[in-house]
Coordinates of all heavy atoms in Angstrom, one line a residue:
Chain A
K166 N 91.8 108.8 107.5 CA 91.1 108.4 106.2 C 92.0 108.7 104.9 O 91.9 107.8 104.0 CB 89.9 109.4 106.1 CG 88.6 108.7 106.9 CD 87.5 109.7 106.6 CE 86.2 109.0 107.3 NZ 85.1 109.9 106.9
L169 N 94.7 106.0 104.7 CA 94.0 104.8 104.2 C 93.7 104.8 102.7 O 94.1 103.8 102.0 CB 92.7 104.4 105.0 CG 92.1 103.2 104.7 CD1 92.9 102.1 105.1 CD2 90.7 103.1 105.3
A170 N 93.3 105.9 102.2 CA 92.9 106.0 100.8 C 94.3 105.9 100.0 O 94.3 105.2 99.1 CB 92.4 107.4 100.5
L173 N 95.3 102.3 100.0 CA 94.4 101.6 99.1 C 94.9 101.7 97.6 O 95.1 100.8 96.8 CB 93.0 101.9 99.3 CG 92.0 101.2 98.4 CD1 92.0 99.7 98.6 CD2 90.5 101.8 98.6
I177 N 96.2 99.0 95.0 CA 95.6 98.8 93.7 C 96.7 98.9 92.7 O 96.8 98.1 91.6 CB 94.5 99.8 93.4 CG1 93.3 99.5 94.4 CG2 94.1 99.8 91.9 CD1 92.3 100.7 94.3
G210 N 88.2 107.2 85.4 CA 87.0 106.6 86.3 C 87.0 107.4 87.6 O 85.9 108.0 88.0
L211 N 88.2 107.5 88.3 CA 88.3 108.2 89.7 C 87.8 109.6 89.6 O 87.3 110.2 90.5 CB 89.7 108.0 90.3 CG 90.0 106.7 90.9 CD1 91.5 106.8 91.3 CD2 89.1 106.5 92.2
F212 N 88.3 110.3 88.5 CA 88.1 111.7 88.6 C 86.8 112.1 87.7 O 85.9 112.6 88.2 CB 89.4 112.4 87.9 CG 90.4 112.8 89.0 CD1 90.4 112.1 90.1 CD2 91.2 113.9 88.8 CE1 91.4 112.4 91.0 CE2 92.0 114.2 89.9 CZ 92.2 113.4 91.0
A213 N 86.8 111.8 86.5 CA 85.8 112.3 85.5 C 84.5 111.6 85.8 O 83.5 112.3 86.0 CB 86.3 112.0 84.1
I214 N 84.5 110.4 85.9 CA 83.2 109.6 86.0 C 82.5 109.7 87.3 O 81.4 110.1 87.4 CB 83.3 108.1 85.7 CG1 83.7 108.0 84.2 CG2 82.1 107.4 86.0 CD1 83.8 106.6 83.7
S215 N 83.4 109.8 88.3 CA 82.8 110.1 89.7 C 82.3 111.5 89.8 O 81.2 111.8 90.3 CB 83.9 110.0 90.8 OG 84.8 110.9 90.8
E216 N 83.0 112.5 89.1 CA 82.6 113.8 89.1 C 81.2 113.9 88.3 O 80.3 114.7 88.7 CB 83.5 114.8 88.5 CG 83.2 116.2 88.4 CD 83.0 116.7 89.7 OE1 83.7 116.4 90.6 OE2 82.3 117.7 89.7
V217 N 81.0 113.2 87.4 CA 79.7 113.0 86.5 C 78.6 112.8 87.5 O 77.5 113.4 87.3 CB 79.9 112.0 85.3 CG1 78.5 111.8 84.9 CG2 80.7 112.8 84.2
F218 N 78.8 111.8 88.4 CA 77.8 111.5 89.2 C 77.3 112.6 90.1 O 76.2 112.7 90.5 CB 78.0 110.1 90.1 CG 78.1 108.9 89.2 CD1 79.1 108.0 89.1 CD2 77.0 108.7 88.3 CE1 79.1 106.9 88.5 CE2 77.0 107.5 87.7 CZ 78.0 106.7 87.5
V219 N 78.3 113.5 90.5 CA 77.9 114.6 91.4 C 77.3 115.7 90.5 O 76.4 116.4 90.9 CB 79.3 115.2 92.0 CG1 79.0 116.3 92.8 CG2 80.0 114.1 92.7
E222 N 73.5 116.0 89.9 CA 72.8 116.7 90.9 C 72.8 118.2 90.8 O 72.0 119.0 91.0 CB 73.3 116.3 92.2 CG 72.3 116.4 93.4 CD 72.8 115.6 94.6 OE1 73.5 114.6 94.3 OE2 72.7 116.2 95.7
A420 N 86.7 101.5 84.2 CA 86.5 102.9 84.3 C 85.2 103.2 85.2 O 85.3 104.1 86.1 CB 86.4 103.6 83.0
V421 N 84.1 102.4 84.9 CA 82.9 102.6 85.8 C 83.2 102.2 87.1 O 82.8 102.8 88.1 CB 81.7 101.9 85.1 CG1 80.6 102.0 85.9 CG2 81.4 102.4 83.7
A422 N 83.9 101.0 87.4 CA 84.1 100.6 88.7 C 84.9 101.7 89.5 O 84.6 102.0 90.5 CB 84.9 99.2 88.6
F423 N 86.0 102.2 88.9 CA 86.7 103.3 89.5 C 85.9 104.5 89.7 O 86.1 105.3 90.6 CB 88.0 103.6 88.6 CG 89.1 102.7 89.0 CD1 89.6 101.8 88.2 CD2 89.8 102.9 90.3 CE1 90.7 101.0 88.4 CE2 90.7 102.1 90.6 CZ 91.3 101.1 89.7
G424 N 84.9 104.7 88.9 CA 84.1 105.9 89.0 C 83.2 105.7 90.3 O 83.0 106.7 91.1
L425 N 82.8 104.4 90.6 CA 81.9 104.3 91.8 C 82.8 104.4 92.9 O 82.4 104.9 93.9 CB 81.4 102.8 91.6 CG 80.1 102.7 90.8 CD1 79.8 101.2 90.8 CD2 79.0 103.5 91.5
L426 N 84.1 103.9 92.9 CA 84.9 103.9 94.0 C 85.3 105.4 94.3 O 85.2 105.9 95.5 CB 86.3 103.2 93.7 CG 87.3 103.4 94.8 CD1 87.0 102.8 96.0 CD2 88.7 102.8 94.3
G427 N 85.5 106.1 93.2 CA 85.7 107.6 93.4 C 84.5 108.3 94.0 O 84.6 109.1 94.9
Y428 N 83.3 108.0 93.7 CA 82.0 108.6 94.1 C 81.9 108.3 95.5 O 81.6 109.3 96.3 CB 80.8 108.1 93.3 CG 79.5 108.8 93.8 CD1 79.3 110.1 93.5 CD2 78.7 108.0 94.5 CE1 78.1 110.7 93.9 CE2 77.5 108.6 94.9 CZ 77.2 109.9 94.7 OH 76.1 110.5 95.1
L429 N 82.1 107.0 95.9 CA 81.9 106.6 97.3 C 83.1 107.4 98.2 O 82.7 107.8 99.2 CB 82.3 105.1 97.4 CG 81.9 104.5 98.7 CD1 80.5 104.5 99.1 CD2 82.3 103.1 98.6
A430 N 84.1 107.5 97.7 CA 85.4 108.0 98.4 C 84.9 109.7 98.6 O 85.1 110.1 99.6 CB 86.7 108.0 97.7
R431 N 84.5 110.2 97.5 CA 84.1 111.6 97.8 C 83.0 111.9 98.8 O 83.1 112.7 99.6 CB 83.5 112.2 96.5 CG 84.5 112.7 95.4 CD 83.7 112.9 94.2 NE 84.6 112.8 93.0 CZ 85.3 113.8 92.4 NH1 85.0 114.8 92.9 NH2 86.1 113.5 91.5
K432 N 81.9 111.0 98.8 CA 80.8 111.0 99.5 C 81.2 110.9 101.0 O 80.5 111.4 101.9 CB 79.7 110.2 99.1 CG 78.8 110.7 97.9 CD 77.9 111.7 98.6 CE 76.8 112.0 97.6 NZ 75.7 112.9 98.3
T433 N 82.2 110.1 101.2 CA 82.4 109.6 102.7 C 83.7 110.2 103.2 O 84.2 109.7 104.2 CB 82.4 108.1 102.7 OG1 83.4 107.5 101.8 CG2 81.1 107.5 102.5
G434 N 84.4 111.1 102.5 CA 85.4 111.9 103.0 C 86.8 111.1 103.0 O 87.7 111.5 103.7
Y435 N 86.9 110.1 102.1 CA 88.2 109.6 101.8 C 88.8 110.4 100.5 O 87.9 110.4 99.6 CB 88.2 108.1 101.5 CG 87.6 107.2 102.7 CD1 86.3 107.1 102.8 CD2 88.5 106.8 103.7 CE1 85.8 106.4 104.0 CE2 88.0 106.0 104.7 CZ 86.7 105.8 105.0 OH 86.2 105.2 106.1
H436 N 90.0 110.8 100.5 CA 90.5 111.6 99.4 C 90.8 110.8 98.1 O 91.6 109.9 98.1 CB 91.7 112.3 99.8 CG 91.4 113.2 101.0 ND1 91.1 114.6 100.8 CD2 91.4 113.0 102.3 CE1 90.9 115.1 101.9 NE2 91.1 114.2 102.9
V437 N 89.9 111.2 97.0 CA 90.1 110.5 95.7 C 91.6 110.8 95.4 O 92.2 109.8 94.8 CB 89.2 111.1 94.9 CG1 89.3 110.4 93.4 CG2 87.7 111.0 95.3
T438 N 92.1 112.0 95.5 CA 93.3 112.4 95.0 C 94.4 111.4 95.7 O 95.5 111.1 94.9 CB 93.7 113.8 95.3 OG1 92.5 114.6 95.1 CG2 94.9 114.3 94.6
I440 N 94.0 108.3 96.8 CA 93.9 107.0 96.0 C 94.6 107.1 94.7 O 95.5 106.2 94.3 CB 92.4 106.7 95.7 CG1 91.7 106.6 97.0 CG2 92.5 105.3 95.0 CD1 90.2 106.2 96.8
Chain B
G6 N 75.0 109.1 109.1 CA 75.2 107.5 109.2 C 76.5 107.1 109.1 O 77.4 107.7 108.2
L7 N 77.0 106.0 109.6 CA 78.2 105.3 109.5 C 78.6 104.5 108.4 O 79.6 104.2 108.0 CB 78.6 104.8 110.9 CG 79.4 105.6 111.8 CD1 79.6 104.9 113.1 CD2 80.7 106.1 111.1
I8 N 77.5 103.7 108.0 CA 77.6 102.5 107.1 C 78.4 102.9 105.8 O 79.2 102.3 105.4 CB 76.2 102.0 106.7 CG1 75.4 101.5 108.1 CG2 76.4 100.8 105.8 CD1 74.1 100.7 107.9
P9 N 78.1 103.9 105.2 CA 78.9 104.4 103.9 C 80.4 104.5 104.2 O 81.2 104.1 103.4 CB 78.2 105.7 103.5 CG 76.8 105.8 104.1 CD 76.9 105.0 105.5
E10 N 80.7 105.0 105.3 CA 82.1 105.3 105.7 C 82.8 104.0 106.0 O 83.9 104.1 105.9 CB 82.1 106.3 107.0 CG 81.8 107.7 106.7 CD 82.2 108.4 107.9 OE1 83.2 108.6 108.3 OE2 81.1 109.1 108.4
L11 N 82.0 103.0 106.3 CA 82.6 101.7 106.5 C 83.0 100.9 105.3 O 83.8 100.0 105.3 CB 81.7 100.8 107.4 CG 81.6 101.2 108.9 CD1 80.5 100.4 109.5 CD2 82.9 100.8 109.6
I12 N 82.4 101.2 104.2 CA 82.6 100.4 103.0 C 84.1 100.4 102.5 O 84.7 99.4 102.3 CB 81.6 101.0 101.9 CG1 80.2 100.9 102.3 CG2 81.9 100.1 100.5 CD1 79.3 101.5 101.3
I13 N 84.6 101.6 102.5 CA 85.9 101.6 102.0 C 87.1 100.9 102.9 O 87.7 100.0 102.4 CB 86.5 103.2 101.7 CG1 85.7 103.4 100.4 CG2 88.0 103.2 101.6 CD1 86.2 104.9 99.8
P14 N 87.1 101.2 104.2 CA 87.9 100.4 105.1 C 87.6 98.8 105.0 O 88.7 98.1 105.0 CB 87.8 101.0 106.6 CG 86.7 101.8 106.4 CD 86.4 102.2 105.0
I15 N 86.4 98.5 105.0 CA 86.1 97.0 105.0 C 86.6 96.6 103.7 O 87.3 95.4 103.6 CB 84.7 96.7 105.3 CG1 84.4 97.1 106.8 CG2 84.4 95.3 104.9 CD1 83.0 97.0 107.2
G16 N 86.3 97.2 102.7 CA 86.6 96.7 101.3 C 88.2 96.7 101.2 O 88.8 95.8 100.6
A17 N 88.9 97.7 101.7 CA 90.4 97.7 101.7 C 90.9 96.5 102.4 O 91.9 95.9 101.9 CB 90.8 99.0 102.3
V18 N 90.4 96.2 103.6 CA 91.1 95.1 104.4 C 90.8 93.8 103.6 O 91.5 93.0 103.5 CB 90.3 95.0 105.7 CG1 90.7 93.8 106.5 CG2 90.8 96.3 106.6
L53 N 90.6 103.5 112.5 CA 89.2 104.0 112.2 C 88.1 103.4 112.8 O 87.1 104.1 113.3 CB 89.1 103.8 110.6 CG 88.4 105.0 109.8 CD1 89.0 106.3 110.1 CD2 88.7 104.8 108.3
F57 N 85.1 105.1 114.9 CA 83.7 105.0 114.6 C 82.9 104.5 115.8 O 81.8 105.0 116.1 CB 83.5 104.0 113.4 CG 84.0 104.6 112.2 CD1 84.3 103.7 111.1 CD2 84.1 106.0 111.8 CE1 84.7 104.2 109.9 CE2 84.4 106.5 110.7 CZ 84.8 105.6 109.6
S69 N 73.6 104.0 110.2 CA 72.7 104.0 109.2 C 73.2 104.6 107.8 O 74.4 104.9 107.8 CB 71.5 104.9 109.5 OG 71.8 106.2 109.7
F70 N 72.4 104.8 107.0 CA 72.8 105.4 105.7 C 72.6 106.9 105.5 O 72.8 107.6 104.6 CB 72.2 104.8 104.4 CG 72.8 103.4 103.9 CD1 72.3 102.2 104.4 CD2 73.9 103.6 103.2 CE1 72.9 101.1 103.9 CE2 74.5 102.3 102.7 CZ 74.0 101.2 103.1
A71 N 72.1 107.5 106.8 CA 71.8 108.8 106.7 C 72.8 109.7 106.2 O 74.0 109.5 106.6 CB 71.3 109.3 108.2
G72 N 72.5 110.7 105.4 CA 73.3 111.7 104.8 C 73.9 111.3 103.5 O 74.6 112.1 102.8
F73 N 73.9 110.0 103.2 CA 74.6 109.6 102.0 C 73.7 109.8 100.8 O 74.2 110.2 99.8 CB 74.9 108.0 102.1 CG 75.7 107.5 101.0 CD1 77.0 107.8 100.8 CD2 75.1 106.6 100.2 CE1 77.7 107.3 99.7 CE2 75.8 106.0 99.0 CZ 77.1 106.4 98.9
L74 N 72.3 109.6 101.0 CA 71.6 109.8 99.9 C 70.9 111.2 99.9 O 70.6 111.7 101.1 CB 70.5 108.7 99.7 CG 71.0 107.3 99.7 CD1 69.9 106.2 99.8 CD2 71.7 107.0 98.5
E80 N 68.9 111.1 93.2 CA 69.3 109.7 93.4 C 68.7 108.8 92.3 O 69.5 108.1 91.6 CB 69.0 109.2 94.8 CG 69.7 109.8 95.9 CD 71.2 109.7 95.7 OE1 71.8 108.7 95.1 OE2 71.9 110.7 96.1
R83 N 70.7 109.7 89.2 CA 72.2 109.1 89.3 C 72.3 107.6 89.1 O 73.0 107.2 88.2 CB 72.6 109.5 90.7 CG 74.1 109.0 91.0 CD 74.8 109.7 92.0 NE 74.0 110.3 93.0 CZ 74.1 111.6 93.4 NH1 74.9 112.3 92.7 NH2 73.4 112.1 94.3
W84 N 71.3 106.9 89.7 CA 71.5 105.4 89.5 C 70.9 105.0 88.2 O 71.4 103.9 87.6 CB 70.8 104.7 90.9 CG 71.6 105.2 92.1 CD1 71.1 105.9 93.1 CD2 72.9 105.1 92.5 NE1 71.8 106.2 94.0 CE2 73.1 105.8 93.7 CE3 73.9 104.3 91.9 CZ2 74.3 105.6 94.3 CZ3 75.1 104.3 92.6 CH2 75.4 105.0 93.8
L87 N 73.7 105.4 86.0 CA 74.7 104.2 86.2 C 74.3 103.0 85.5 O 75.1 102.3 84.9 CB 74.9 104.1 87.6 CG 75.9 102.9 88.1 CD1 77.4 103.2 87.5 CD2 75.9 102.6 89.6

Side-chain angles (χ1 to χ4, degrees):
Chain A
K166 278 185 170 180
L169 181 66
L173 178 62
I177 293 174
L211 280 175
F212 273 28
I214 295 181
S215 72
E216 180 62 26
V217 158
F218 287 129
V219 178
E222 201 166 327
V421 176
F423 272 109
L425 278 176
L426 175 64
Y428 180 72
L429 186 66
R431 271 168 209 269
K432 273 281 192 176
T433 53
Y435 297 87
H436 294 269
V437 183
T438 315
I440 303 181
Chain B
L7 263 181
I8 297 179
E10 284 187 65
L11 279 171
I12 302 175
I13 287 188
I15 291 177
V18 171
L53 215 49
F57 290 158
S69 69
F70 276 99
F73 184 68
L74 302 173
E80 289 304 327
R83 181 161 20 238
W84 301 110
L87 177 67

